[in-house]
Amino acid sequence: MKKMKIKIDDTEIEVREGQTILDAARIAGIEIPTLCHSDGIEPYSSCMVCMVRDKKRNNFIPSCTALVQEGMDIDASGEEVIALRKKAVTLLLSEHRAECEAQCRVVCPMGYNIPLMNRLLIAGEYDEAAELIRSEMKGGELNCINCKAFCVNACRRKRIDTPVSIRNIRIFLSRNLPETPKYEVSPLYSENDVRKRFASRIGALDATEQLEWLKECPDKVVRHEEIAGFKEAAEEAASCMHCDCRASSGCRLRELAEMFSIKDPRGKFINTPVIKKINHKTGLVFENAKCIKCGLCVRAVADSTDEPALCFINRGFVSMISEPLTVEFDDIPALVAKKCVEVCPTGALAFFNENNGT
Ligand code: SF4
Ligand code: SF4
Ligand code: SF4
Ligand code: FES
């Protein structure tokens, strides 16, 4: 293939015809942020986070799809380029009706990872749940014992019926730790980071959207205010609606917001509906309001023989990721679900018990 030379940020780079500007930047060790790009998947340029400026033409182009041309002179780090990337991330966040952290964790003075504890209990991983508590106790006493239970007060479940009995579950677990540590279970990041990190906010939810959150709970939950055993703890944990984000420690969108020091935009486009879909066979969870419509999940399985795969339905603003209209979300097979979760750059696609810190 024909070789040529281009410049990125005044560095001369030898490239081959057919390579993208992003490829060229990587050869030279120049970092260009990306969001909707994943190596090995056909690029589609939807997020505009990888924009660069063609200095000769004075126009902006997405580096993940724009091909190199002989003599190109590219600005990949100037002020205008950074401003455009920031704008792209801000736009995505303005229709992102989701919370990186659950309210129960945000108000906890210790930043204890309550949703993670609930997921471990629901999965029947009692020892792991107890080990999470042990690691959060850091060799001292559990703060919950002397706390006014801010978490219970903030729990979103109280808008449906009664809050999850978080404090009592935690105290029970702290008194029933395995004698010797069996597993290492991490709360994923420290209490300081819970408040310091970028946090997307969901804004007001209407009554229908509130019910979408309930989809994560079994139809019938057995509630226990007092917790006398692991079974009761797990039954009570099942009433948790998982209003945190399973991608909170690895979300690319969150990382980019932090990289560009972006605050969550005030006021969100209310036309991004909060819709949840649960695949009861594979545990795949789809949350529409966390989806940036990058299409990676669609393209990742485009050549796969495992049917049915995910696709876009509707057009324009109301387009969304969905199962094909002729099947149910439960019909998305395990292999497709796995590939889609792997490539999703946000928490829009995850497995129910994912992010369990074990
Ligand atoms: S998808 Fe990312 S930005 Fe959105 S709520 Fe989850 S962690 Fe936060
Ligand atoms: S429903 Fe679950 S995740 Fe949400 S605030 Fe209550 S305990 Fe936390
Ligand atoms: S579900 Fe994830 S991978 Fe699929 S379009 Fe949305 S953000 Fe992209
Ligand atoms: S990474 Fe290039 S447009 Fe999204």
Side-chain angles (χ1 to χ4, degrees):
M1 247 179 226
K2 194 175 140 198
K3 287 190 175 173
M4 57 182 87
K5 285 193 176 150
I6 71 164
K7 269 191 194 168
I8 302 182
D9 288 348
D10 299 324
T11 303
E12 198 169 77
I13 310 160
E14 191 173 272
V15 288
R16 287 190 317 274
E17 191 180 11
Q19 287 187 301
T20 62
I21 295 170
L22 182 65
D23 293 331
R26 285 175 173 177
I27 292 169
I30 295 168
E31 201 192 325
I32 297 179
T34 58
L35 179 57
C36 71
H37 176 83
S38 181
D39 290 337
I41 297 179
E42 185 201 343
Y44 185 67
S45 283
S46 71
C47 73
M48 304 302 152
V49 167
C50 67
M51 294 300 262
V52 293
R53 186 166 67 89
D54 182 333
K55 291 205 259 188
K56 287 186 177 162
R57 296 186 176 168
N58 198 23
N59 63 354
F60 294 91
I61 43 179
S63 62
C64 67
T65 46
L67 298 180
V68 291
Q69 287 171 25
E70 179 68 59
M72 253 183 169
D73 192 0
I74 296 294
D75 169 10
S77 57
E79 272 180 33
E80 285 176 294
V81 170
I82 303 296
L84 201 62
R85 290 177 188 164
K86 265 179 128 162
K87 209 172 187 173
V89 176
T90 307
L91 260 175
L92 288 171
L93 289 169
S94 62
E95 54 179 25
H96 200 74
R97 294 182 61 216
E99 291 192 332
C100 304
E101 306 289 350
Q103 285 309 301
C104 55
R105 189 175 190 194
V106 172
V107 299
C108 170
M110 306 304 287
Y112 290 149
N113 197 337
I114 295 154
L116 170 57
M117 170 193 79
N118 288 339
R119 286 195 279 275
L120 290 169
L121 286 169
I122 294 165
E125 295 175 4
Y126 300 155
D127 282 347
E128 287 86 340
E131 290 302 348
L132 169 67
I133 304 296
R134 193 201 307 268
S135 80
E136 291 178 329
M137 286 162 69
K138 295 179 188 157
E141 196 183 44
L142 186 73
N143 199 63
C144 309
I145 292 164
N146 300 311
C147 176
K148 290 185 179 150
F150 302 109
C151 55
V152 177
N153 199 33
C155 175
R156 284 188 182 269
R157 177 83 202 198
K158 75 178 178 191
R159 297 195 196 162
I160 307 286
D161 40 34
T162 52
V164 181
S165 197
I166 304 165
R167 179 170 174 266
N168 292 349
I169 296 178
R170 294 189 62 84
I171 292 174
F172 168 80
L173 290 175
S174 73
R175 291 182 176 153
N176 290 277
L177 299 175
E179 256 175 50
T180 47
K182 285 191 184 168
Y183 309 96
E184 242 183 64
V185 185
S186 140
L188 301 174
Y189 39 82
S190 75
E191 64 268 26
N192 286 337
D193 283 348
V194 172
R195 280 175 278 272
K196 264 197 330 221
R197 294 202 61 188
F198 166 82
S200 165
R201 305 243 182 273
I202 199 163
L205 287 177
D206 65 30
T208 331
E209 290 175 328
Q210 196 81 251
L211 293 178
E212 286 296 310
W213 286 26
L214 262 188
K215 285 182 179 170
E216 296 228 18
C217 305
D219 290 342
K220 284 202 179 106
V221 279
V222 184
R223 304 297 305 270
H224 303 273
E225 195 183 342
E226 301 301 326
I227 308 297
F230 284 103
K231 184 170 168 283
E232 284 86 350
E235 286 175 346
E236 179 61 10
S239 60
C240 173
M241 302 188 294
H242 310 280
C243 27
D244 64 332
C245 185
R246 292 175 174 91
S248 62
S249 65
C251 171
R252 182 70 182 136
L253 182 59
R254 194 179 196 191
E255 282 167 10
L256 286 167
E258 288 168 347
M259 178 191 291
F260 292 122
S261 307
I262 296 173
K263 295 261 176 279
D264 194 44
R266 281 181 183 275
K268 304 256 173 168
F269 294 137
I270 210 83
N271 60 4
T272 308
V274 173
I275 295 173
K276 283 201 188 208
K277 292 189 181 191
I278 320 275
N279 180 319
H280 297 94
K281 293 179 187 162
T282 61
L284 179 68
V285 180
F286 170 66
E287 297 186 63
N288 180 56
K290 290 178 183 168
C291 173
I292 56 163
K293 299 179 187 172
C294 66
L296 277 173
C297 56
V298 177
R299 301 197 303 284
V301 290
D303 300 329
S304 157
T305 49
D306 293 298
E307 294 285 353
L310 294 174
C311 62
F312 277 108
I313 55 163
N314 306 329
R315 291 166 72 93
F317 264 132
V318 287
S319 72
M320 69 176 270
I321 288 294
S322 167
E323 68 282 9
L325 294 174
T326 49
V327 301
E328 302 292 324
F329 195 64
D330 271 351
D331 296 328
I332 301 295
L335 204 60
V336 168
K338 185 169 177 287
K339 280 186 195 160
C340 293
V341 169
E342 274 167 13
V343 297
C344 182
T346 71
L349 284 168
F351 286 112
F352 185 86
N353 279 327
E354 198 175 87
N355 192 7
N356 63 16
T358 50

